[in-house]
Amino acid sequence: MTGLKQMALLDAQRSPPAWLRRLLETNFFEKCSDHPEAWRSTRSAGCCNFFCTACASRALCSRCLGDHAGHEIIQIRKSSSHCLVKVEDLRHLLNVSLVQTYIINGAPAVFLDERSMSGKGKKPGAETECEECGRGLQDAGSLFCSLGCKVRSIKSRPAPCSVVRFYV
């Protein structure tokens, strides 16, 4: 039987850090309100594609980063109009196990939010489905298609659940 102390530890490990919910709610790749003169409609120059986990307040542009020296900054990238983060940028902050990784520009990455499914049912060749949204997953060891689905699944799982952890 699991002791109360161990149950409390497991519950703490499965709770997402406070900044993660804010990261998932943030709109990225928009014009920076503090530096509108830096805006360019091409590429990511002048748009907000960084997030400070210490402040967890809003998306930041590259010019905003000076105000966050010494803070943990995550760079958000885009692939097929969806926001993602390289696994190496998150690995020391967050346990991304059980989330499907994708190779983007030669590096493993995870999507922030679920992506809509084209067509009906599982993607051809998919081994398993995301436990939250049902999207087909290529990696049989994954349970979720995105960090957002992993966070949402915590609400529906009975505590304590040692399978789903957010802390390394």
Side-chain angles (χ1 to χ4, degrees), residues 137-156:
L137 303 173
Q138 296 296 320
D139 183 3
S142 297
L143 297 178
F144 308 105
C145 67
S146 66
L147 287 174
C149 280
K150 186 173 180 178
V151 168
R152 283 189 296 281
S153 78
I154 292 299
K155 294 178 183 177
S156 62

Side-chain angles (χ1 to χ4, degrees), residues 96-114:
V96 295
S97 67
L98 306 179
V99 178
Q100 175 73 56
T101 58
Y102 301 87
I103 303 300
I104 308 293
N105 293 329
V110 292
F111 284 96
L112 294 184
D113 290 308
E114 72 180 82

Side-chain angles (χ1 to χ4, degrees), residues 5 7 32 39 82 84 108-109 111 121 124 140 156 163:
K5 189 174 182 179
M7 286 175 59
C32 179
W39 175 257
H82 295 281
L84 56 93
F111 284 96
S156 62
V163 174

Side-chain angles (χ1 to χ4, degrees), residues 64-76:
C64 293
L65 297 181
D67 296 335
H68 298 269
H71 294 184
E72 193 67 52
I73 304 294
I74 298 172
Q75 183 177 4
I76 309 303

